Amino acid sequence: MQIIYWLLVAVMVVGIIGAVVPAIPGTSLILIAIIIWGVVSSSFAAIKIPLIVTIIVLLLSIGVDFLAGYIGAKQAGASKWGQIGAFVGLLLGFFGLLPALPFGGPLLGILLGPLLGAIIGEYLYQRQLGVAIKAGIGIVVGTVVGNLLQGILAIAAVIVFLVTTWPQVFPS
């Protein structure tokens, strides 16, 4: 039982990483691991609190993800073109369609892709390079702040799980 517990905690750690790094499942992995623990331990009462907290965290993460990028874009004066460009840049950067990077691969592409995409999208819309760069930086900063907040929420969900289930798995 303890081996399964530790494997599920490892899945949750991947979920925490995924909450911060785009394109890796985040809070949903944590939620799945908690549900699996409920099935394996045959005790849904033991996971009731972590399950509720994780569902709330999942909903908050979706809201934070949307709001952080939107607020960052709005503060920088970005248009929909910049936001669409950032999304396309994220996809292209992650799947390595940006020119071959000498180091960093997809992780660096995840950072550079949205920035370049937002700048290109905004430039196509407004034809002002300074405004486009400002919008690109605003979108990326908003997204990074949002991802960090999602990471903090994911860590909180895992801590609640550990605190509520640890005595069941490792009685003193």
Side-chain angles (χ1 to χ4, degrees):
M1 194 72 121
Q2 291 178 353
I3 293 172
I4 294 171
Y5 186 81
W6 285 117
L7 286 172
L8 291 174
V9 169
V11 168
M12 290 180 188
V13 169
V14 172
I16 291 171
I17 294 167
V20 177
V21 177
I24 297 174
T27 312
S28 56
L29 267 181
I30 297 169
L31 182 62
I32 290 168
I34 290 172
I35 292 169
I36 290 171
W37 179 250
V39 170
V40 168
S41 68
S42 300
S43 174
F44 282 101
I47 65 162
K48 181 173 68 174
I49 293 173
L51 194 59
I52 291 169
V53 167
T54 305
I55 289 170
I56 291 169
V57 163
L58 180 61
L59 294 173
L60 286 173
S61 291
I62 292 168
V64 163
D65 194 26
F66 173 73
L67 284 176
Y70 176 76
I71 291 170
K74 189 112 172 129
Q75 290 295 320
S79 69
K80 295 282 185 208
W81 282 76
Q83 293 175 17
I84 292 168
F87 180 73
V88 170
L90 171 69
L91 293 177
L92 293 176
F94 179 73
F95 291 113
L97 299 175
L98 288 176
L101 302 171
F103 61 91
L107 287 179
L108 190 57
I110 286 172
L111 296 174
L112 289 179
L115 176 64
L116 294 175
I119 291 170
I120 291 168
E122 201 61 41
Y123 183 76
L124 288 173
Y125 179 68
Q126 296 191 17
R127 302 279 187 217
Q128 297 177 1
L129 186 59
V131 172
I133 291 172
K134 181 181 174 192
I137 291 171
I139 289 171
V140 171
V141 167
T143 302
V144 167
V145 168
N147 288 350
L148 292 176
L149 289 173
Q150 287 179 34
I152 291 168
L153 289 169
I155 289 169
V158 172
I159 289 172
V160 168
F161 173 79
L162 291 172
V163 167
T164 57
T165 59
W166 190 270
Q168 173 190 0
V169 180
F170 303 100
S172 350

